[in-house]
Amino acid sequence: MPSHLSADRPAAQPPGRGSVDALISQTRRLKGDVDAVRRGAEEEEADHPQGRWQRALYDLALHQLNDLDQHLAQLRDGPLPTARTPEPATPPPGSLLSRVGSAEWNLLTDEASWSGELYQILGRDPAAPPLTLDELPSLVLDEDRPKLTAMVTNCLVDARPIDGEFRIAHRDGAVRTVHMMGEPVLDTDGSTASMWAVLRDVSELRRSQRVVSETRDSLHHQREAARTEHRLAVELQEAVLPPWRGSLRLPHRGPRTLDLAARRLQASTTTLIGGDWYDALELTDGETLLSVGDLTGQGVGVTSNMTMLLGAVRGMAMAGAQPGQLMAWLNQLLDATVQPALGSAVCCRYRPGTHTLVWAQAGHPAPLLFRDGTGRALDAPDGVLLGATSGPVYGQAEETLRVGDLLLLHTDGLVPGHTGTAAANLLLDLAPRLAGNRTAEDCVQTVVEEFGASEREDNACLLAVKVTS
């Protein structure tokens, strides 16, 4: 590669303007296209780590295209005059940040020759003489001087090309990053006669790259934090809820009267665990507590709150609270705390001696009863009444069950894309298939096979109860 500047031969002439102008036009069109896409992305993307990372990449691409634009313009126009020749009006400093400066150091005469751009890049007075290779490190930050010295030594001694970066301090205290590329110029006997180099200020380019790296790291950390939160929430729910698969085992002190199974279905559009729950508990009077519901929110916090809520529900049920009263007390308890916020719930007590189900609901789907190959939603209890002093009073209803009956308690979101009556009707359509299931676990599996494989936006819980005696 020939020397860029030489004392004994004229500087190379700029290439044909027409071909370079065509490249400049293409570059500027591409800049406009990238900028338009960036503006569109800024309107669509929210201010979150991934959006910031994308914007940083757009900025980096534009910085690189700006550099390319100015490099091509310099290639077309040629270098600025050196400080030793008459100089036209100096372009604004900002326009020179991406321009390339050049230099040649003659080892035989110890002379140096700098282009006008290099004075601007290195923050030197154009009237001052160019620095020799021995003087050049005086501009470089102390920690970067060994790097520059090694690059120059390898070039002069081993004839290796120079390609590296170092930081310099301008007189005003500004620190800039400079990229240097160069090669030795050999004389006829193969020894190094001079060294030439081109240098450019890459400070803004490196700043943009740092922003990209930092936003990428932030996005990575946020995703790792979400995965950790998801894992902790799963572990906590596994410790709180009865088993997600298989029959729920109650410590039966008397004859086994109910066969129970449950399943929790995770939303496919989120990595966080929500506050849906199911529960079954054998009470001291021989009755069985059955409940499903959900809390607002997601993550470890709502799962921890769910633990508190389940403890409260179980405690009130063990104390003898009937479903309507339990709902009223639970409402008072949650109203007195900042969190959790109850989304909805249904609470039942089953009395095996009379096969009676007593239940109450708070904005929750009614239990579904399947009998003899057909199904229906249980008649809802009386609505919520306002108590004189103790807040709302929840009505409760009773249903007499038979041996072989199947009861499904579920949260909203079990049937993807459907809620309320529409979801209930789709579940009731499964009555003929559920009639052929022998166990509660078989019934759960039938429902999951029908609705579990679909993409779901919400978490959901299902509790199946079969009356066995």
Side-chain angles (χ1 to χ4, degrees):
M1 184 179 293
S3 169
H4 183 70
L5 290 175
S6 177
D8 57 1
R9 61 181 178 273
Q13 296 301 310
R17 295 179 63 93
S19 58
V20 179
D21 280 337
L23 292 174
I24 293 173
S25 298
Q26 292 176 22
T27 301
R28 291 176 179 174
R29 283 197 299 270
L30 182 56
K31 281 170 53 181
D33 292 343
V34 172
D35 190 48
V37 174
R38 180 186 64 168
R39 290 196 301 270
E42 288 177 348
E43 294 176 357
E44 296 175 3
E45 291 293 336
D47 188 22
H48 53 73
Q50 183 167 344
R52 291 192 292 271
W53 173 71
Q54 291 176 346
R55 288 193 295 273
L57 278 177
Y58 283 124
D59 289 341
L60 175 59
L62 286 172
H63 274 304
Q64 293 172 324
L65 288 172
N66 282 329
D67 281 352
L68 178 61
D69 184 8
Q70 295 194 35
H71 294 163
L72 291 172
Q74 184 180 1
L75 184 64
R76 178 193 62 194
D77 301 335
L80 291 176
T82 66
R84 299 174 183 176
T85 60
E87 195 169 342
T90 302
S95 67
L96 291 165
L97 293 181
S98 295
R99 291 180 68 88
V100 175
S102 56
E104 184 171 352
W105 291 273
N106 191 313
L107 303 181
L108 302 179
T109 63
D110 202 29
E111 291 181 342
S113 180
W114 286 11
S115 70
E117 292 94 348
L118 188 54
Y119 281 90
Q120 297 279 356
I121 291 170
L122 298 183
R124 298 285 294 173
D125 182 357
L131 299 180
T132 66
L133 281 177
D134 291 335
E135 296 169 330
L136 185 62
S138 64
L139 301 178
V140 181
L141 298 187
D142 291 345
E143 53 267 38
D144 288 357
R145 287 179 185 174
K147 184 190 304 183
L148 175 62
T149 300
M151 289 191 299
V152 172
T153 300
N154 290 335
C155 179
L156 298 180
V157 175
D158 300 326
R160 296 180 185 175
I162 291 176
D163 187 355
E165 294 181 4
F166 50 86
R167 291 166 296 166
I168 62 171
H170 283 196
R171 293 176 180 177
D172 60 1
V175 175
R176 310 295 298 180
T177 301
V178 176
H179 184 216
M180 181 177 183
M181 297 181 66
E183 289 184 356
V185 179
L186 306 181
D187 59 15
T188 55
D189 64 2
S191 60
T192 303
S194 64
M195 189 190 84
W196 70 268
V198 292
L199 300 93
R200 69 180 179 123
D201 187 331
V202 294
S203 303
E204 294 306 312
L205 182 62
R206 297 297 174 256
R207 183 196 63 79
S208 295
Q209 290 173 333
R210 285 195 300 273
V211 171
V212 170
S213 177
E214 289 168 0
T215 52
R216 181 190 61 227
D217 291 343
S218 174
L219 179 60
H220 173 74
H221 292 326
Q222 185 183 60
R223 286 173 174 170
E224 286 300 313
R227 292 190 187 101
T228 300
E229 184 175 8
H230 174 264
R231 177 178 56 79
L232 292 175
V234 169
E235 291 175 354
L236 183 57
Q237 282 201 336
E238 286 177 342
V240 173
L241 293 179
W244 289 14
R245 297 176 182 271
S247 297
L248 302 178
R249 300 300 180 185
L250 301 178
H252 298 283
R253 284 178 287 273
R256 182 183 178 91
T257 60
L258 296 178
D259 176 27
L260 303 110
R263 189 72 57 87
R264 189 179 188 284
L265 302 177
Q266 175 67 18
S268 55
T269 56
T270 179
T271 60
L272 296 180
I273 296 292
D276 296 70
W277 88 85
Y278 62 81
D279 193 24
L281 176 68
E282 191 172 52
L283 304 174
T284 55
D285 57 7
E287 298 182 3
T288 300
L289 171 70
L290 306 168
S291 68
V292 295
D294 65 271
L295 301 176
T296 59
Q298 291 181 324
V300 174
V302 73
T303 305
S304 178
N305 291 331
M306 186 182 69
T307 305
M308 181 198 75
L309 180 140
L310 284 178
V313 171
R314 290 176 174 182
M316 288 184 283
M318 291 292 285
Q322 295 300 304
Q325 182 64 69
L326 190 151
M327 286 293 187
W329 286 348
L330 183 62
N331 183 72
Q332 292 179 28
L333 173 65
L334 297 181
D335 280 349
T337 60
V338 176
Q339 289 184 337
L342 182 64
S344 64
V346 61
C347 179
C348 310
R349 286 180 73 114
Y350 178 66
R351 301 168 183 167
T354 60
H355 288 180
T356 302
L357 182 78
V358 183
W359 66 285
Q361 64 183 153
H364 198 84
L368 303 179
L369 175 61
F370 295 85
R371 177 183 295 165
D372 299 330
T374 62
R376 64 178 177 87
L378 297 187
D379 294 332
D382 294 335
V384 178
L385 305 176
L386 294 179
T389 58
S390 58
V393 176
Y394 289 86
Q396 61 185 35
E398 293 188 6
E399 186 76 28
T400 301
L401 304 182
R402 303 176 187 173
V403 174
D405 282 353
L406 169 67
L407 201 65
L408 290 185
L409 284 70
H410 67 93
T411 59
D412 265 332
L414 179 61
V415 181
H418 300 275
T419 59
T421 302
N425 289 337
L426 290 172
L427 288 167
L428 293 173
D429 288 342
L430 296 178
R433 292 171 57 187
L434 293 173
N437 294 148
R438 185 175 60 86
T439 66
E441 175 59 25
D442 293 337
C443 296
V444 167
Q445 189 60 35
T446 296
V447 176
V448 171
E449 288 174 356
E450 183 68 23
F451 302 113
S454 303
E455 293 287 324
R456 60 180 60 252
E457 297 181 357
D458 301 307
N459 304 296
C461 282
L462 170 66
L463 175 61
V465 183
K466 287 207 75 169
V467 181
T468 57
S469 65

